[in-house]
Amino acid sequence: MSEAYRTFFGLQREPFSADISLREILVTPAIKAVTERIHYAIRLGAVALVTGEIGSGKSTALRHVTGNLHPSKYRVIYVTATSGSILELYRQIIDEMGIDVSSNSRALLTKTIKQEVLELSQGKKMKVILVIDEASLLRLPVFA
Ligand SMILES: Nc1ncnc2c1ncn2[C@@H]1O[C@H](COP(=O)(O)OP(=O)(O)OP(=O)(O)O)[C@@H](O)[C@H]1O
Ligand SMILES: [Mg+2]
């Protein structure tokens, strides 16, 4: 956006950036509705799906919800999906969990994820939340 437009609209900086800070997110009725539904899904331990037009604010809404969960009670694993294999998704999850596993064995990766989830949920009494942004990129077998 040119300087002239910024001045005309009285904007202090470039609008609609992807790195908008949590505090700057406008809490619209749509975001409130997503928040309530995600909280409901978390309480149930269910799977929730957020859909919407391109650029309608899905990722921002998810960031708003997960960014406002208390870090001592919730462990959010936020990954951005790719069209890769299930192994790639497991590796992304493990990476986000901060675990160091170099193996590419599917069995070992699932076992490691399960152990970490158990440790967080039973050991530390935390709720573990997996967020997969851009999930439409997942190949069907990976999604399944
Ligand atoms: N509630 C909001 N408050 C402030 N800015 C917002 C809000 N929602 C969306 N935006 C702005 O709009 C941009 C697009 O939103 P976002 O990336 O969340 O959309 P999306 O639905 O995830 O898009 P895509 O379909 O491309 O993944 C964001 O980078 C942000 O700058
Ligand atoms: Mg998005």
Side-chain angles (χ1 to χ4, degrees):
M1 179 182 275
S2 77
E3 188 60 41
Y5 277 117
R6 277 219 287 275
T7 312
F8 180 80
F9 289 109
L11 299 172
Q12 289 163 1
R13 57 179 170 76
E14 194 78 20
F16 309 119
S17 65
D19 58 354
I20 179 170
S21 79
L22 271 184
R23 272 179 300 127
E24 286 179 315
I25 293 174
L26 182 68
V27 185
T28 59
I31 284 210
K32 278 189 192 155
V34 170
T35 306
E36 271 174 30
R37 286 159 196 222
I38 300 277
H39 279 239
Y40 179 64
I42 293 172
R43 277 202 302 281
L44 292 183
V47 175
L49 175 73
V50 180
T51 61
E53 293 295 318
I54 295 167
S56 58
K58 303 177 292 293
S59 302
T60 307
L62 285 173
R63 278 219 299 133
H64 171 76
V65 177
T66 54
N68 286 303
L69 292 172
H70 203 286
S72 68
K73 291 196 186 133
Y74 301 90
R75 179 71 172 85
V76 180
I77 300 152
Y78 199 117
V79 301
T80 301
T82 67
S83 54
S85 66
I86 187 84
L87 272 182
E88 198 162 326
L89 183 64
Y90 287 159
R91 293 227 66 92
Q92 279 184 294
I93 293 172
I94 284 191
D95 225 51
E96 263 296 298
M97 288 178 135
I99 312 169
D100 190 21
V101 192
S102 53
S103 161
N104 262 339
S105 144
R106 223 156 122 156
L108 191 79
L109 293 179
T110 34
K111 190 173 155 213
T112 309
I113 294 171
K114 275 186 191 167
Q115 273 174 346
E116 181 68 10
V117 168
L118 272 179
E119 166 59 18
L120 287 166
S121 60
Q122 295 185 357
K124 298 188 177 158
K125 307 283 176 220
M126 292 174 94
K127 286 231 174 196
V128 184
I129 300 158
L130 173 65
V131 179
I132 305 184
D133 201 357
E134 306 281 357
S136 60
L137 291 177
L138 292 176
R139 297 204 315 237
L140 202 54
V142 177
F143 184 78

